[in-house]
């Protein structure tokens, strides 16, 4: 309801809590296991816990890391599932209930499942690329473009400016996102 204060609070709390969990994930996973071993295990069809247990050698800590991985994956899975379900429903202009809802569920779940069952290495490669490109597009470029369109084209007279920096901040966000993609492609 255009409550700028509540919006800013939600953005800060959501961003900081996500950042803390992401940093914990990076510390636990990438800080313990060399990335080459982690990728090798995933391409071999093992879970991330196999190389972690090899390096930790402490059963209680391995168990905690295993639970953390399960929670991290399941919460990510839920968010991505809901997002894709809503995306396809909006894109196709279908109802989320009835026959169309069932077809949307099949679209969201069956295609990745078949891909994962037929070729785990292809699935991991797509997952890896999706994390880099999808994350940069979804969390960097698209939001900046949406704000630009909303702020300067569509709702320029109605919507208050919630975040400062104007056009320069949006252009900087897009440029940093493009640079991130270029670095990911080169390295």
């Amino acid at each position: 309801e255009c409550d700028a204060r509540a919006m800013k609070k939600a953005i800060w709390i959501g961003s900081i809590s996500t950042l803390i969990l992401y940093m914990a994930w990076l510390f636990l996973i990438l800080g313990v296991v060399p990335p080459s071993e982690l990728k090798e295990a995933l391409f071999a069809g093992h879970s991330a816990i196999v190389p972690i247990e090899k390096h930790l050698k402490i059963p209680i800590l391995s168990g905690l890391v295993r639970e953390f991985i399960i929670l991290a994956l399941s919460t990510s899975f839920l968010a991505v599932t809901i997002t894709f379900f809503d995306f396809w429903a909006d894109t196709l202009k279908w109802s989320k209930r009835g026959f169309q809802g069932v077809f949307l569920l099949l679209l969201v779940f069956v295609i990745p499942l078949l891909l994962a069952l037929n070729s785990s290495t292809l699935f991991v490669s797509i997952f890896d690329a999706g994390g880099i490109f999808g994350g940069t597009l979804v969390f960097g470029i698209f939001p900046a473009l949406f704000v630009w369109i909303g702020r300067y084209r569509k709702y320029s007279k109605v919507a208050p400016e919630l975040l400062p920096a104007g056009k320069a901040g949006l252009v900087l966000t897009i440029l940093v996102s493009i640079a991130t993609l270029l670095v990911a492609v080169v390295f």
Side-chain angles (χ1 to χ4, degrees):
E1 296 180 22
C2 290
D3 184 354
R5 189 171 183 189
M7 182 73 75
K8 287 179 184 179
K9 184 178 177 182
I11 289 171
W12 278 105
I13 292 172
S15 298
I16 290 172
S17 60
T18 303
L19 177 64
I20 290 169
L21 289 173
Y22 185 68
M23 288 173 66
W25 169 259
L26 288 177
F27 176 75
L28 288 172
I29 304 305
L30 300 179
V32 173
V33 180
S36 59
E37 285 186 38
L38 186 61
K39 203 169 210 175
E40 184 181 305
L42 293 174
F43 275 117
H46 301 295
S47 72
I49 195 67
V50 172
I52 291 169
E53 287 176 337
K54 175 183 157 191
H55 285 277
L56 287 179
K57 298 177 184 165
I58 303 169
I60 293 172
L61 194 54
S62 295
L64 289 172
V65 170
R66 179 185 302 269
E67 295 304 317
F68 183 79
I69 289 172
I70 290 169
L71 287 172
L73 290 174
S74 61
T75 54
S76 297
F77 180 74
L78 287 173
V80 169
T81 301
I82 292 168
T83 302
F84 277 135
F85 187 78
D86 286 343
F87 168 79
W88 282 114
D90 292 345
T91 301
L92 299 172
K93 295 182 179 12
W94 285 3
S95 169
K96 296 176 190 173
R97 298 172 192 252
F99 175 75
Q100 291 178 339
V102 170
F103 190 77
L104 288 171
L105 282 174
L106 292 175
L107 187 64
V108 169
F109 287 112
V110 172
I111 293 172
L113 178 64
L114 291 175
L115 189 62
L117 292 174
N118 285 328
S119 175
S120 63
T121 57
L122 179 62
F123 183 78
V124 170
S125 297
I126 290 172
F127 194 72
D128 193 27
I132 295 166
F133 292 101
T136 304
L137 288 172
V138 170
F139 299 115
I141 295 172
F142 287 166
L145 290 176
F146 293 156
V147 169
W148 187 290
I149 291 167
R151 192 183 281 176
Y152 302 112
R153 300 250 187 250
K154 209 166 186 178
Y155 306 109
S156 60
K157 306 286 185 218
V158 184
E161 191 170 305
L162 297 176
L163 299 172
K167 291 180 180 179
L170 297 174
V171 168
L172 181 64
T173 301
I174 292 170
L175 290 176
V176 168
S177 298
I178 291 170
T180 302
L181 284 176
L182 291 175
V183 168
V185 169
V186 173
F187 298 105

